[in-house]
Amino acid sequence: MSDFTADNGPAKAAGKSSLFTQTARTKRRNAAETRFKVYGIGAIALGLFFLVALLFSIITNGIPAFKQTFVTIPVELTEAKLDKNGNRDPADLAKVTTFGYKPLVTNALVAALKEQGIEIPFAKEKDVEDILSSSVAAQVRDTVLANPDLIGQTVDFRLLASSRVDGYFKGRVTRDSLARDKNLDAEHLDVADAMVKAGLMKTSFNPAFIFGSDASESRPEQAGIGVSMVGSFFMMMVVLVLSLPIGVAASIYLEEFAPQNKWTDLIEVNISNLAAVPSIVFGILGLAVFIQFAHLPMSAPLVGGLVLTLMTLPTIIISTRASLKAVPPSIRDAALGVGASKMQSVFHHVLPLAMPGILTGTIIGLAQALGETAPLLLIGMVGFIASNMPDGIAAGFLSPNSAMPAQIYEWAKRADPAYYERAWGGIIILLLFLMTMNIIAVILRRRFERRW
Amino acid sequence: MNDMRIVRKDVDMNDTKISAKGVQVFYGDTHAIKDVDVEILDKTVTAFIGPSGCGKSTFLRCLNRMNDTIDICRVEGNILLDGEDIYDKRVDPVQLRAKVGMVFQRPNPFPKSIYDNIAYGPRIHGLAKNKADLDEIVEKALRRGAIWDEVKDRLDAPGTGLSGGQQQRLCIARAVATEPEVLLMDEPCSALDPIATLQVEELIDELRENFSVVIVTHSMQQAARVSQKTAFFHLGNLVEYGDTEQIFTNPKDERTESYITGRIG
């Protein structure tokens, strides 16, 4: 025996191949495997590169939207101008329009500049007011109407600078680009620079971008995403309340109770197809059915929610059925074996086990709906539609509003580059929401996952 | 020998529990069970043996209408439980399954606590009036399942955390907790190691005091050890049915003899 092994040792008999040398076929197979691994790594690297590039561009473009240039100056609220009768009657106070407030603010700015010794390089001193946003008069007026006791005092106001001045500090606007711009002159920028030195002007965090409402095309510095965020919230409520019970009930019936025949096959195929229908088709369906036929209010989050429910249902049904299928049949047998009815076996045993999958599918479906734009444009939930927060829950569902992605689209298509920056900022907020929802989905899945 | 004498006495004394006549089962176009007649006695362990695919599990699942859950399955003939046809239109399979409990091939405890595993059946059938009642039922069932001593200190622990043999005894305890009259066991030991198998077999012998037990098994030794009656199935036919002793020592049909001696199967 030992002789035999010795013979077959290092010196191989002719015609027998050694294990130490690779045959041509093995080499080819190994090469193919290596090539495939390289392709795979390449694909992943490319994907990661695009992801990083995308995130980088979103963050660099979007972060400036969260900061805004403010001018802080004391404004004298002259009683003679704002309340001639001196009785603080709200009706009288409301009669003074922003045109009445505008000179106060302009005078305050001129006075502040003079006090700091900043030269005003304009023939008419009043022209320096273009440094401020055209919204400042309204801001002062709102403050006064909310608190009439301020009249007669000199109050420090934190006023928005115009979007051109803001863009100058963010690098968007240069003296050259202002040469073709009627809204602002290069001299304004000189004044702005001097104001920064004097501490009158500062770029700081702007909560109004997160909580405010959209503004007109001429006041990008004032626009915020808050109101459309509320619109999105009410829409998601509608989607959640409708699509979760309907979707889960439909999937439980199809998966556990429905007989296997050509009708259920047909329904199954159609649900899968519905998941692939372009969202704009659901939009036009919603326009025809909910608005033109059922006469629900235009642009209302309720209608948006209904349309998005139609869109989300197939996603929820498919994921719910998949998680019901994943529950081992032995659990159903066990329940039936001790005399549980079909429904008891489903609700007591199968559904709790499928819950993490169902919740994950629902949240993913909601996240999809949250990012959907096209159907909302068709039912009129465009960006500029709401300028105030809805008052009350019913108004939240029924009064015209927008949604975050529609708002972002609206900003992106406006001409002023200041809006472009806000579109990127809006995308950051939207992505934060989506990431939060996905993280919740992952946590729920980890938390409720059970082994059997 | 002493044991066998007791067996014979039991068998002689007890009545028919389940009586099957001319049972045919079809899976779509497949004729799975062909014209089976069998009388299953009360307080007796009846073993179904036979090669794989011979239909013994299918027939077992007919006895508590578990085959109802399979769409393409069709059952013909009569199966009477205490003289009542269980396939009658008026019979609710849920009520039937409370009377005819089942233990499956793989231990399948619910992913809940040990207590809840046992308590589930009594709860849905309303067998307990209050918590104390339920505690008592759970303890009794776990004792009958010969697992009480092992789990009495951790009734809140998940049933899925037990070992395979313990899980199977838990499943048996769960099945007896609803006080069934017949207990069906579909290869209850096939996923267990020899020691766990021995424990379950001893348990089956004890269960005979209260129930009629029908067990499907691949192991002829097991059939010989635990059963008093044995039915041999082959290709969907019930080839031979009789006292276990007679089937294993003096089979009448040559197919039975071939199977028992290991020539077919």
Side-chain angles (χ1 to χ4, degrees):
Chain A
M1 197 59 200
S2 61
D3 288 349
F4 183 75
T5 41
D7 280 350
N8 280 279
K12 278 275 173 188
K16 279 204 171 180
S17 67
S18 160
L19 273 179
F20 297 124
T21 53
Q22 287 187 349
T23 61
R25 177 176 284 270
T26 314
K27 271 182 196 153
R28 271 206 308 281
R29 286 191 298 189
N30 288 347
E33 191 173 319
T34 313
R35 274 200 307 278
F36 182 76
K37 278 187 198 161
V38 171
Y39 294 151
I41 292 170
I44 290 171
L46 197 66
L48 280 180
F49 170 75
F50 282 127
L51 182 68
V52 169
L54 180 75
L55 283 180
F56 180 76
S57 69
I58 288 176
I59 289 169
T60 49
N61 283 308
I63 286 296
F66 292 89
K67 292 196 286 187
Q68 204 65 40
T69 307
F70 292 97
V71 176
T72 311
I73 48 170
V75 178
E76 190 193 352
L77 303 169
T78 330
E79 185 167 11
K81 290 269 172 56
L82 303 180
D83 190 13
K84 279 174 196 146
N85 302 329
N87 58 9
R88 303 286 186 274
D89 179 11
D92 282 349
L93 292 179
K95 275 184 195 154
V96 183
T97 63
T98 51
F99 291 109
Y101 284 85
K102 186 88 187 181
L104 294 184
V105 181
T106 307
N107 293 342
L109 177 63
V110 170
L113 290 176
K114 281 186 176 152
E115 192 191 325
Q116 295 289 335
I118 298 169
E119 187 200 348
I120 301 175
F122 300 104
K124 284 191 265 177
E125 280 182 344
K126 175 176 162 310
D127 283 349
V128 80
E129 74 179 10
D130 287 346
I131 281 182
L132 295 174
S133 161
S134 52
S135 70
V136 293
Q139 185 195 340
V140 175
R141 180 172 182 267
D142 290 345
T143 314
V144 170
L145 291 187
N147 187 5
D149 295 340
L150 292 175
I151 294 176
Q153 303 177 23
T154 301
V155 183
D156 271 350
F157 275 95
R158 188 163 170 261
L159 303 167
L160 279 168
S162 90
S163 73
R164 299 295 195 289
V165 173
D166 181 54
Y168 170 60
F169 290 113
K170 289 173 182 168
R172 191 174 65 230
V173 174
T174 61
R175 286 182 168 75
D176 292 340
S177 74
L178 284 185
R180 297 180 301 277
D181 195 328
K182 290 183 298 196
N183 295 295
L184 206 69
D185 298 326
E187 286 77 12
H188 285 107
L189 300 183
D190 297 336
V191 175
D193 278 334
M195 285 173 80
V196 170
K197 259 189 210 129
L200 290 177
M201 191 183 273
K202 224 172 126 187
T203 302
S204 58
F205 176 67
N206 176 25
F209 174 65
I210 302 172
F211 303 109
S213 68
D214 193 17
S216 94
E217 287 193 44
S218 59
R219 297 194 306 273
E221 66 275 5
Q222 208 194 356
I225 202 168
V227 172
S228 48
M229 210 188 281
V230 171
S232 279
F233 169 78
F234 280 106
M235 250 174 23
M236 288 304 111
M237 285 295 109
V238 176
V239 176
L240 183 68
V241 165
L242 290 179
S243 65
L244 184 61
I246 297 178
V248 171
S251 350
I252 289 177
Y253 179 75
L254 285 173
E255 196 58 43
E256 305 282 340
F257 294 94
Q260 283 286 316
N261 56 32
K262 58 178 192 248
W263 288 111
T264 45
D265 283 351
L266 189 73
I267 291 171
E268 210 163 302
V269 169
N270 277 308
I271 288 173
S272 308
N273 285 342
L274 274 183
V277 168
S279 55
I280 197 143
V281 175
F282 287 105
I284 208 149
L285 178 80
L287 178 63
V289 174
F290 298 128
I291 294 177
Q292 290 171 351
F293 176 74
H295 294 293
L296 289 172
M298 278 269 277
S299 309
L302 175 69
V303 180
L306 289 172
V307 171
L308 293 181
T309 300
L310 293 180
M311 241 192 65
T312 315
L313 266 178
T315 317
I316 292 185
I317 292 179
I318 288 169
S319 68
T320 303
R321 293 191 64 180
S323 38
L324 288 174
K325 263 198 192 95
V327 175
S330 67
I331 295 292
R332 296 179 178 84
D333 282 352
L336 294 179
V338 296
S341 68
K342 184 88 194 169
M343 191 161 149
Q344 284 171 326
S345 86
V346 170
F347 280 87
H348 295 165
H349 301 289
V350 179
L351 202 55
L353 290 175
M355 221 45 189
I358 295 173
L359 290 179
T360 312
T362 306
I363 292 173
I364 301 289
L366 281 185
Q368 251 175 35
L370 184 66
E372 198 54 69
T373 322
L376 303 184
L377 299 179
L378 283 181
I379 57 160
M381 293 186 74
V382 280
F384 51 83
I385 206 95
S387 50
N388 287 306
M389 286 286 175
D391 47 341
I393 307 260
F397 286 113
L398 293 172
S399 66
N401 203 336
S402 179
M404 280 192 280
Q407 180 71 72
I408 291 166
Y409 170 72
E410 175 66 28
W411 284 340
K413 78 185 167 109
R414 284 182 187 168
D416 193 327
Y419 271 117
Y420 188 65
E421 164 195 295
R422 286 186 131 60
W424 286 100
I427 283 172
I428 290 182
I429 292 180
L430 184 64
L431 282 180
L432 284 178
F433 272 95
L434 296 179
M435 263 165 59
T436 315
M437 291 173 83
N438 281 304
I439 289 170
I440 292 173
V442 170
I443 291 173
L444 281 178
R445 192 163 38 194
R446 290 266 164 84
R447 190 85 179 265
F448 292 114
E449 202 161 52
R450 287 202 246 186
R451 297 177 187 288
W452 49 74
Chain B
M1 201 55 216
N2 192 24
D3 186 33
M4 294 309 276
R5 192 162 43 84
I6 297 166
V7 169
R8 215 167 278 129
K9 195 175 79 183
D10 273 348
V11 170
D12 290 343
M13 276 182 64
N14 286 297
D15 314 320
T16 301
K17 188 72 188 169
I18 295 176
S19 156
K21 287 199 185 69
V23 175
Q24 318 266 358
V25 179
F26 302 87
Y27 284 118
D29 295 332
T30 318
H31 197 172
I33 298 283
K34 296 162 192 159
D35 207 17
V36 168
D37 293 336
V38 72
E39 305 263 308
I40 290 163
L41 304 178
D42 202 8
K43 313 245 188 289
T44 306
V45 178
T46 307
F48 290 174
I49 60 170
S52 293
C54 67
K56 54 194 190 303
S57 284
T58 301
F59 184 68
L60 188 77
R61 290 169 68 93
C62 289
L63 300 181
N64 70 343
R65 291 184 60 174
M66 280 300 272
N67 284 335
D68 287 15
T69 58
I70 301 164
D71 278 337
I72 55 166
C73 184
R74 192 155 52 82
V75 179
E76 288 173 9
N78 292 317
I79 300 176
L80 308 179
L81 174 70
D82 291 331
E84 292 175 329
D85 186 358
I86 65 170
Y87 280 91
D88 191 280
K89 276 202 292 289
R90 287 165 294 178
V91 172
D92 186 336
V94 170
Q95 251 169 294
L96 170 71
R97 287 181 202 132
K99 279 192 172 187
V100 184
M102 188 155 191
V103 175
F104 297 86
Q105 188 167 357
R106 299 185 65 84
N108 56 353
F110 300 128
K112 297 174 187 249
S113 72
I114 292 170
Y115 184 94
D116 285 338
N117 260 284
I118 306 295
Y120 181 68
R123 266 194 202 126
I124 59 173
H125 295 301
L127 298 182
K129 282 191 276 299
N130 51 41
K131 179 84 172 76
D133 248 13
L134 194 60
D135 288 350
E136 202 176 303
I137 289 173
V138 169
E139 179 176 344
K140 188 175 163 201
L142 286 170
R143 281 189 193 284
R144 275 181 173 176
I147 192 178
W148 171 252
D149 291 331
E150 289 156 71
V151 301
K152 64 183 173 197
D153 300 325
R154 45 175 175 148
L155 292 176
D156 290 332
T160 41
L162 299 171
S163 74
Q166 288 173 324
Q167 285 189 15
Q168 193 62 301
R169 278 179 286 146
L170 179 69
C171 291
I172 293 172
R174 181 177 67 191
V176 301
T178 54
E179 298 288 340
E181 294 162 21
V182 181
L183 200 55
L184 308 178
M185 297 184 159
D186 190 356
E187 299 180 37
C189 300
S190 65
L192 304 183
D193 66 44
I195 293 170
T197 301
L198 185 68
Q199 288 169 328
V200 171
E201 283 178 7
E202 283 171 357
L203 174 58
I204 291 170
D205 200 52
E206 286 165 29
L207 292 174
R208 184 161 66 88
E209 286 175 23
N210 299 298
F211 312 103
S212 165
V213 179
V214 185
I215 175 170
V216 164
T217 177
H218 268 297
S219 157
M220 282 173 283
Q221 290 86 346
Q222 185 174 55
R225 280 194 300 262
V226 302
S227 71
Q228 290 79 50
K229 287 280 195 178
T230 297
F232 171 61
F233 285 81
H234 188 237
L235 301 176
N237 296 303
L238 177 63
V239 174
E240 193 169 351
Y241 177 55
D243 289 347
T244 301
E245 200 186 353
Q246 174 252 313
I247 295 272
F248 281 97
T249 54
N250 186 21
K252 293 195 182 85
D253 194 291
E254 68 184 66
R255 284 172 293 177
T256 317
E257 191 183 353
S258 304
Y259 181 68
I260 287 166
T261 51
R263 269 175 290 167
I264 58 168

